[in-house]
Amino acid sequence: MRASGYVVLLSLCLVAPFSRAAAQGDPRLERLDEATRPVVVALIDTARAVGLPVNPLVERALEGAIKGAPGATIATAVRRLAADLGRARDALGSGASPVELDAGAAALRAGAGPDVLTRLRRARGHRPVTMALAVLTDLVARGVPIDTATTAVLTLAATARDEDLVDFRRAVERDIAIGAPPAAAASIRVNAAAREARPGRP
């Protein structure tokens, strides 16, 4: 992780004092209990200060609240997501959009290394990398080993359109649903998809 990643992690671990206005935070956070809300708001304010997207953090906190998770668990989940967003930005570059960072954080949680995000960014060129990251994450969620999923998506990333990536994911999911081993399904389908993929358009 580069220096900026350490700065994000340090900032998120050391919650600084915050103003009364900041403590009010996003009105959606009123769902949190009185003890948890200021901690989460401080984490979100810190993330905002270092230029990270905050909506995923709010949504993660609300998800925990809806599930009835303890306040400490919610705060830990928000802190970890903010750290993942920071790592994703290090890997994808400062110009990455909020949705790309969110997708990158999900891919990191699925087991992809930061180098995979960087390679996908380079392979996609000026095109958004969101769909490639989402497909990678979805494949792992369906049981495809991370190395196999990474190889498959990297194989397609340079030439495939987003539509091609979606078609590839759906084909793999169909094969898995009828009993194909996840790794075999991805390996077989990527060869067919690579032949059919047309050069990507901006």
Side-chain angles (χ1 to χ4, degrees), residues 107-135:
L108 290 171
R109 291 194 300 275
D115 62 308
V116 172
L117 274 62
T118 300
R119 292 166 65 190
L120 281 174
R121 169 79 282 168
R122 291 172 180 166
R124 296 301 280 171
H126 296 296
R127 293 168 293 161
V129 73
T130 308
M131 185 57 68
L133 291 166
V135 168

Side-chain angles (χ1 to χ4, degrees), residues 165-180:
L165 291 168
V166 171
D167 288 343
F168 164 68
R169 181 193 64 195
R170 288 173 176 168
V172 173
E173 290 176 343
R174 285 195 300 268
D175 289 350
I176 293 173
I178 61 175

Side-chain angles (χ1 to χ4, degrees), residues 115-116 118-121 123 149-159 190:
D115 62 308
V116 172
T118 300
R119 292 166 65 190
L120 281 174
R121 169 79 282 168
T150 296
T151 298
V153 175
L154 282 170
T155 298
L156 300 176
T159 57
V190 73

Side-chain angles (χ1 to χ4, degrees), residues 30-162:
E30 292 178 3
R31 293 188 180 185
L32 302 177
D33 63 64
E34 292 184 359
T36 305
R37 189 185 311 127
V39 176
V40 170
V41 168
L43 290 169
I44 290 173
D45 285 347
T46 302
R48 182 185 292 109
V50 296
L52 295 176
V54 299
N55 196 58
L57 304 178
V58 173
E59 292 178 348
R60 180 58 54 86
L62 294 179
E63 178 184 356
I66 291 171
K67 293 180 177 179
T73 300
I74 293 173
T76 297
V78 171
R79 184 179 290 109
R80 286 176 176 170
L81 176 55
D84 287 339
L85 289 168
R87 293 171 62 210
R89 184 174 61 184
D90 284 348
L92 296 174
S94 59
S97 69
V99 291
E100 287 178 318
L101 293 181
D102 198 15
L108 290 171
R109 291 194 300 275
D115 62 308
V116 172
L117 274 62
T118 300
R119 292 166 65 190
L120 281 174
R121 169 79 282 168
R122 291 172 180 166
R124 296 301 280 171
H126 296 296
R127 293 168 293 161
V129 73
T130 308
M131 185 57 68
L133 291 166
V135 168
L136 171 59
T137 302
D138 289 346
L139 290 176
V140 174
R142 293 303 300 266
V144 178
I146 184 62
D147 290 344
T148 303
T150 296
T151 298
V153 175
L154 282 170
T155 298
L156 300 176
T159 57
R161 302 170 301 164
D162 282 355

Side-chain angles (χ1 to χ4, degrees), residues 1-12 52 82-91:
M1 185 184 299
R2 295 198 295 269
S4 59
Y6 287 114
V7 170
V8 171
L9 285 171
L10 181 60
S11 298
L12 292 166
L52 295 176
D84 287 339
L85 289 168
R87 293 171 62 210
R89 184 174 61 184
D90 284 348

